[in-house]
Amino acid sequence: MGLFSKKECVRCGKKAGLLTRKKLADGDYLCGDCADLCSPELTSDDFRNMTLDDVEEHIEEVEEDEDRYENEFHRTRTIRTQMVLKNHDIVYVDDTHGWWVNATRQHPDVFTFSQAGDCHLDLDTTLRSDDNDDDHDHEDFLEDMFRGAAFMQMRMQYPELPVCPPNEEIQKMEFVIYINDRAPITEVRIPVMDAIIPSQGDIEGGYECAYQLLNLFRSMKQKHADYEQAAASQTKAAQPAQAAGGDMTEQLMNLKKLLDAGILTQDEFNAKKKQILGL
Ligand SMILES: [Zn+2]
C-alpha cells in the first residue's frame, strides 16, 4: 500500500504507470495508453472532471474527428512560427467549412470558428539572476538601459500583448485559446517560442507569431458573427411574407373546399372570406 501501491486503469485493467496515468473523477485512474486515445488538448484538470463514461464518449468523438480531419478538412490558410531554424506550422484553417486545427498535434481536433473563444498570450517569466549581484557597474547600467528601451519598444509594437518586465526573462511563450461548447476540452495551448535560452530574435519571433494568432482568432470571431447575422436577417426577411401569404391562401382554399362540398353556404363562405382577408 501507500506510495508504491499498484493502480489499475479503470478502462482496460492494465497497470496504470505513475508517470503516464491520469486521475479521473471518483479517484479512478486511466493508463497512458487509454489517455493517448483522448484529445491531446485535455489537461490534468479536464481529466479530473471526467468519469469513465465521459472518457468512452470522448474517445468516440475523437475518432470521428480524426476521420473528419483526414477526409474532409481542406486547408486554405496556414500560420507558421517565425523562428529561423525551427520554422513550423502551428495552425491550419479551413475557410470553406469554418474549421481550424492546432497543427502542432499529430492527431489534431477539428474545431469550428465559433468554438474559438477568448485568447491571450501566456508568458512564463522568472526574475533575472544577474540582477541580484551587488556591484552595479557601468556595463550593468548600460544593459539596464538597453532592456528598458527594448521593453518600451515592445509595449508600443504589441499594445495588446503582455510584455516581459526588464528585470525578468522569458522562459516560455504559449498562445492560449479558450474553447466553447466542446466539453471536455477547455483550452488549446500553442507554443510560439520553444528556445530553452531564448535570444532576442526568438522572443521577437514569438511575439510576431502571437500577434498573427490574435488577429486570426479575432477574424474567425468576426466571420462567425457575420455569418450568424446574415443567417438571422435571411430568415427574418423570408418568414413574414411566406407565413402570411401561405397561410391566407391555404385557409381560403380550404374554405372553398367546404363551400364546394356543401358544408358552408355561400353567405357563410363570403363572411369567412372577408374575415380572413381582413376586409
Ligand atoms: Zn487503460
Side-chain angles (χ1 to χ4, degrees):
M1 293 306 284
L3 191 63
F4 297 103
S5 69
K6 237 174 154 181
K7 298 275 200 292
E8 277 166 10
C9 174
V10 69
R11 184 167 179 268
C12 70
K14 277 193 289 192
K15 186 175 181 281
L18 185 69
L19 294 178
T20 52
R21 73 188 180 203
K22 300 287 179 192
K23 196 169 187 176
L24 299 180
D26 315 323
D28 288 330
Y29 283 96
L30 198 65
C31 73
D33 288 345
C34 289
D36 281 346
L37 300 174
C38 298
S39 162
E41 311 295 351
L42 288 187
T43 64
S44 297
D45 281 343
D46 294 335
F47 275 111
R48 235 166 277 153
N49 288 323
M50 293 167 81
T51 63
L52 179 59
D53 283 349
D54 295 334
V55 171
E56 296 291 6
E57 197 181 321
H58 172 67
I59 288 174
E60 255 175 58
E61 283 170 4
V62 167
E63 280 166 5
E64 283 168 26
D65 227 34
E66 261 176 47
D67 194 56
R68 188 171 304 141
Y69 182 58
E70 263 162 48
N71 300 312
E72 291 177 60
F73 193 90
H74 176 71
R75 192 196 312 178
T76 51
R77 274 187 288 168
T78 301
I79 305 287
R80 312 199 78 203
T81 52
Q82 306 295 308
M83 284 167 279
V84 181
L85 292 175
K86 295 180 193 162
N87 203 355
H88 61 254
D89 298 351
I90 48 173
V91 172
Y92 296 141
V93 181
D94 173 344
D95 287 289
T96 327
H97 288 102
W99 291 342
W100 62 277
V101 301
N102 175 359
T104 66
R105 303 292 193 189
Q106 209 173 357
H107 299 289
D109 303 278
V110 178
F111 296 105
T112 63
F113 283 4
S114 66
Q115 283 169 343
D118 289 337
C119 48
H120 70 272
L121 176 65
D122 192 8
L123 282 188
D124 211 351
T125 63
T126 52
L127 215 58
R128 279 180 191 280
S129 50
D130 55 356
D131 265 21
N132 296 333
D133 59 14
D134 291 330
D135 55 332
H136 211 70
D137 58 19
H138 185 65
E139 209 171 297
D140 289 339
F141 176 75
L142 281 180
E143 205 173 323
D144 285 351
M145 289 256 300
F146 171 74
R147 278 190 211 138
F151 172 74
M152 292 307 289
Q153 201 206 325
M154 292 297 263
R155 283 277 296 259
M156 290 203 341
Q157 200 170 351
Y158 302 106
E160 291 154 297
L161 298 176
V163 174
C164 179
N167 62 333
E168 293 178 18
E169 52 194 350
I170 296 178
Q171 304 287 308
K172 214 163 77 176
M173 296 174 77
E174 281 180 332
F175 196 80
V176 185
I177 306 119
Y178 293 113
I179 303 296
N180 302 322
D181 308 319
R182 189 62 185 272
I185 302 168
T186 51
E187 62 178 36
V188 168
R189 286 185 167 263
I190 301 173
V192 292
M193 195 277 300
D194 55 7
I196 295 164
I197 304 168
S199 66
Q200 187 62 25
D202 288 326
I203 291 168
E204 277 168 20
Y207 271 98
E208 181 61 41
C209 188
Y211 190 62
Q212 241 184 312
L213 289 174
L214 193 69
N215 285 326
L216 171 75
F217 285 102
R218 273 190 189 158
S219 76
M220 275 185 196
K221 227 181 217 173
Q222 190 54 48
K223 233 175 172 175
H224 177 69
D226 290 349
Y227 173 78
E228 293 243 291
Q229 204 176 16
S233 62
Q234 233 172 30
T235 45
K236 223 186 215 170
Q239 256 172 4
Q242 242 179 15
D247 223 58
M248 215 182 262
T249 318
E250 205 176 286
Q251 280 186 49
L252 288 174
M253 294 296 279
N254 286 337
L255 211 59
K256 181 72 168 67
K257 274 185 209 159
L258 293 175
L259 175 71
D260 291 343
I263 296 169
L264 289 180
T265 65
Q266 187 66 50
D267 284 343
E268 285 169 328
F269 173 81
N270 288 347
K272 197 75 191 156
K273 184 172 130 189
K274 268 188 181 173
Q275 199 188 325
I276 290 169
L277 294 172
L279 298 171

